[in-house]
Amino acid sequence: MPYLAEAYNSFTVAQRRNIAIYVLGIMFYKLGLEFFNGSITSLAADRFKAAHTFTKIGAAQGINQAAQCVGAILIAPLARRFQTRSVLCVAIVMFGIMTTILLITDAATGGQMGRGTDGKPRYGDWNPNAIFPIWAIAGVGYGMVELIRRVIPADICGGDVMRLRRMDAAVHILYEVAGTAGAFSSSSAISRWGNNYSYFLTPIFFAFAAMIWSFIRHDMKPSRQFSDDQSVNLSVFETPRNNYLNEIAWGTYLFFKSIYIGGILIFTHRRFVWLFTSYSLALYLHRFLENSLAPAFAKVTLNNSAWAQIIVGGSNFGELCGALSVFLLAHRVPTPIPWLRLDALFLNIVWTLPVYATIQTGGVKWAWYAALTFLPISYGWAAGDVSLAAYIQASLNRMEINEPGVSPLGAVMSFLYSGYIVMNAVLSSVLGNVMDHDATSNGNIISSLRRVGGIQFSVCCCIILISTLVPEGSRTLNPQPVGDLQTPPDDTELKHIHHPREIYEADIYKASTDTHEHKALPLAPSS
C-alpha cells in the first residue's frame, strides 16, 4: 500500500485526471479490439474451405500485421503537425469505420444477424477471400492507433521517467483487464449473434474511446517524437519534406534504414544479440498460441470456433497476472533474465493440448481447460515481455550512433518487431498447412498439435534458455544489473532532454551541457 500511495502522489492533479481519462478510453478501445479480432478470426475459420482454413488464416494475419506498419507510416506525419490527442481520436474513428466494411458487405449480400434453425450463422453471398483485403484495411487503421497510443503517455507525464514507468505499468494492467473481459464477452456475442455480426459493438466502443480521449487536457505542441530532425541530410529527395506525400516517403526510407541498422547493432554486439530470440521469437510464439493454436483447437477439436475466445480470455488473464507480477517484484527481480527463463519453461505446458484433444468428450468445459493451460504460458510471456521492453529502452535510449535520422532504440525495436512479423507471416501459414493436412486426412489435429505445438515450443524453449546465458553477468538464477545487463542511471543523464520522446530522434545526446561521458555506439564491435 505505501508503494501505491507513493505512486499515486507522484502525479499532479492534472496528470491524475488525464491518466484516468486515458485509461478509461483505452479500456473501451481494448474491448472493441477483442470483439473485432475474435469475430474475424472465428469468421475466417468458418468461411475458408476446410482444406486450407488455417493456411489462409495465417496468411491473412501476416498481411494484417504488414498493413499495421503501413498505418504507422501514414499517421506519423500528422502527429508532427497536430496535437497527439486529436490525431489519436481521428485515428480510432477511422479504425472504427474500417471495421464496418465487412458488416456492410455481409448485410448487402443477404447476411442476417443471429443463427438459423440449424444453429449456424446466416452469412451473406460474398467470396470468403474478401477477408484478405478487409483484414488488411483494418490493419492500416490498427497500426495508426497503436503508434499514437504508445506515445501519448509522454504528453501526459512530461519528462519524468519514473512517472512514465508507473503510468505504463498501470495502463498495461488495466488494458489486460479489459482484454480479458472482452475476450470472454466476445465468445458469448459470437454464439448469440454469429461471427459475421458479433463485432457490431466494435465501432461503438471505438467511438466511446474517441469521445473520452477528447477530454484529455494538455498544452503540448505536435509530437516531438515525430518532429523533423534538422541534422538529417534531406538530399536523399529532390524536394524538401514540406508535404504529406514527401513525409511518407521519408518515413518509409527511415523505416527500412532503421531495420538495417538495427540488424547490425543486434548481431554484432554480445549485449544485444540475445534479444532476437528473447523478444522476437517469444512474441511470435505468443501470437501463434493465440492466433493459430486456439482457433484450431476450438474449430477442429471442439467443433465451435466461438470458444477460441474463451481460450484467448485465459491467455489475456495470464498476461494481466504477468504484468502485475513485474510491477510488484521490480525491486526483487532487477533484470528480465529470470522472467525470460520462466517464460521458456512454461512453453512446454502446450503439450497438454494434444492430450486434451485425445481425451475430450465435447462441451465448453474443454475450452475452459485450454484457457487454464494458456494462462501460465501467457503469464511467463507477459512478464518477460514487460521487463525486457523496459531493459531495452533503458539500455538504448542513452546511446547514439553516427547515422542521421536513426536512433539505436528505434533501430533495434524496428528490427525486432519486423523480425517477428516475418516469422509470424511465414511460419503461421506454413504450420497452418500442417494442421489443415492433419484435419483433412485424420479428422483431428492431435498429431499436428504435437508437432507445431509441443515440439516447436519445446525446441524454442531450449533456444530461449540458451540465449539468456549469452549476456555477461547472466549466469546466475537471479542476475543483478551488472556487465551487459547494467543500464544507465535515470538521473542527470536525462535532464537536458526537453521531451522524453526525443529518445527516438537521432543525435539527441550531443548536447554540450551533458555532464556524463558517453560514446557513440559503433555499428560493429571493435577488434
Side-chain angles (χ1 to χ4, degrees):
M1 291 302 293
Y3 180 79
L4 295 178
E6 178 188 353
Y8 178 82
N9 293 326
S10 66
F11 298 99
T12 65
V13 174
Q15 287 171 342
R16 289 198 290 265
R17 175 188 180 277
N18 284 335
I19 291 173
I21 293 173
Y22 177 70
V23 167
L24 182 60
I26 207 169
M27 292 181 76
F28 273 104
Y29 164 70
K30 181 60 172 176
L31 284 171
L33 191 63
E34 285 295 335
F35 270 77
F36 177 74
N37 286 340
S39 297
I40 197 168
T41 301
S42 173
L43 179 64
D46 286 348
R47 293 300 311 270
F48 286 143
K49 292 182 179 180
H52 306 288
T53 298
F54 302 109
T55 304
K56 288 188 174 182
I57 288 179
Q61 290 171 345
I63 293 173
N64 174 266
Q65 288 162 349
Q68 293 175 30
C69 297
V70 175
I73 293 173
L74 292 176
I75 202 66
L78 298 179
R80 279 193 280 264
R81 304 183 181 190
F82 305 100
Q83 284 189 341
T84 314
R85 173 195 61 191
S86 302
V87 177
L88 179 62
C89 293
V90 172
I92 196 171
V93 169
M94 292 178 62
F95 188 14
I97 293 173
M98 292 173 181
T99 62
T100 64
I101 295 176
L102 193 54
L103 289 172
I104 296 172
T105 301
D106 192 78
T109 55
Q112 297 181 33
M113 181 179 289
R115 297 178 177 269
T117 54
D118 58 356
K120 297 181 179 180
R122 294 171 288 184
Y123 300 117
D125 185 20
W126 50 275
N127 191 327
N129 288 324
I131 291 176
F132 283 95
I134 292 173
W135 214 342
I137 293 173
V140 174
Y142 186 24
M144 290 179 174
V145 175
E146 286 296 300
L147 177 71
I148 301 301
R149 82 167 184 87
R150 292 181 186 276
V151 302
I152 200 172
D155 282 342
I156 295 175
C157 293
D160 191 297
V161 177
M162 186 56 65
R163 286 175 178 172
L164 278 171
R165 287 181 176 177
R166 287 168 173 166
M167 178 181 174
D168 286 342
V171 169
H172 192 96
I173 291 170
L174 293 173
Y175 183 78
E176 293 302 338
V177 169
T180 303
F184 290 143
S185 299
S186 64
S187 176
S188 177
I190 293 171
S191 299
R192 178 181 295 271
W193 296 311
N195 48 30
N196 52 337
Y197 284 96
S198 55
Y199 61 97
F200 75 91
L201 290 173
T202 292
I204 298 175
F205 284 137
F206 285 178
F208 277 125
M211 287 189 293
I212 292 169
W213 280 334
S214 67
F215 288 98
I216 295 177
R217 294 178 183 174
H218 62 78
D219 299 323
M220 302 297 294
K221 296 179 181 180
S223 175
R224 292 181 62 90
Q225 175 176 338
F226 307 100
S227 62
D228 291 340
D229 182 0
Q230 299 302 325
S231 67
V232 174
N233 182 5
L234 298 182
S235 61
V236 178
F237 301 101
E238 296 181 358
T239 58
R241 289 177 290 148
N242 56 3
N243 62 72
Y244 180 69
L245 294 179
N246 216 355
E247 291 192 19
I248 291 177
W250 178 253
T252 304
Y253 165 76
L254 289 182
F255 174 74
F256 287 104
K257 182 180 180 181
S258 293
I259 295 175
Y260 171 73
I261 298 299
I264 295 177
L265 290 174
I266 288 175
F267 291 116
T268 58
H269 292 82
R270 177 180 175 180
R271 69 175 306 181
F272 300 137
V273 68
W274 59 285
L275 295 178
F276 183 77
T277 52
S278 297
Y279 183 89
S280 301
L281 180 61
L283 180 57
Y284 152 71
L285 293 172
H286 176 69
R287 296 305 179 200
F288 186 82
L289 187 76
E290 290 189 344
N291 298 337
S292 295
L293 290 183
F297 186 82
K299 172 66 177 177
V300 180
T301 302
L302 304 181
N303 200 31
N304 190 328
S305 61
W307 291 346
Q309 282 302 97
I310 295 177
I311 303 173
V312 173
S315 177
N316 287 343
F317 185 70
E319 293 181 46
L320 164 63
C321 296
L324 184 60
S325 296
V326 173
F327 179 75
L328 296 176
L329 300 176
H331 296 294
R332 294 181 179 272
V333 187
T335 70
I337 297 297
W339 297 117
L340 294 172
R341 291 170 179 165
L342 185 67
D343 176 24
L345 294 174
F346 279 177
L347 291 176
N348 294 287
I349 300 176
V350 80
W351 280 99
T352 58
L353 289 181
V355 176
Y356 289 161
T358 302
I359 64 175
Q360 63 88 25
T361 56
V364 70
K365 68 177 182 179
W366 292 98
W368 287 102
Y369 291 158
L372 291 176
T373 296
F374 277 45
L375 192 155
I377 302 176
S378 293
Y379 171 90
W381 171 79
D385 182 73
V386 171
S387 58
L388 187 59
Y391 165 80
I392 293 173
Q393 293 177 12
S395 299
L396 289 167
N397 66 11
R398 285 166 179 78
M399 293 180 179
E400 58 179 11
I401 54 177
N402 297 320
E403 288 291 333
V406 178
S407 72
L409 177 59
V412 168
M413 291 307 297
S414 295
F415 181 84
L416 292 176
Y417 196 74
S418 299
Y420 147 70
I421 288 177
V422 172
M423 272 195 295
N424 192 55
V426 174
L427 293 179
S428 292
S429 182
V430 172
L431 298 181
N433 186 52
V434 174
M435 291 189 287
D436 285 331
H437 183 267
D438 194 17
T440 303
S441 302
N442 304 318
N444 60 66
I445 55 172
I446 296 174
S447 176
S448 56
L449 284 176
R450 293 192 184 103
R451 287 179 288 167
V452 306
I455 295 177
Q456 178 189 202
F457 278 54
S458 292
V459 170
C460 291
C461 163
C462 296
I463 294 174
I464 295 174
L465 284 176
I466 293 173
S467 71
T468 62
L469 300 175
V470 172
E472 182 183 357
S474 64
R475 297 182 182 180
T476 61
L477 187 62
N478 184 18
Q480 297 303 302
V482 296
D484 289 340
L485 298 175
Q486 187 175 10
T487 56
D490 287 333
D491 47 14
T492 54
E493 280 191 285
L494 207 62
K495 287 184 177 178
H496 67 277
I497 300 177
H498 300 296
H499 196 281
R501 286 181 288 162
E502 288 184 63
I503 59 177
Y504 295 90
E505 297 292 335
D507 302 326
I508 59 171
Y509 293 100
K510 290 183 179 178
S512 59
T513 56
D514 190 0
T515 59
H516 287 256
E517 181 181 359
H518 57 274
K519 297 180 180 180
L521 187 67
L523 292 185
S526 57
S527 57

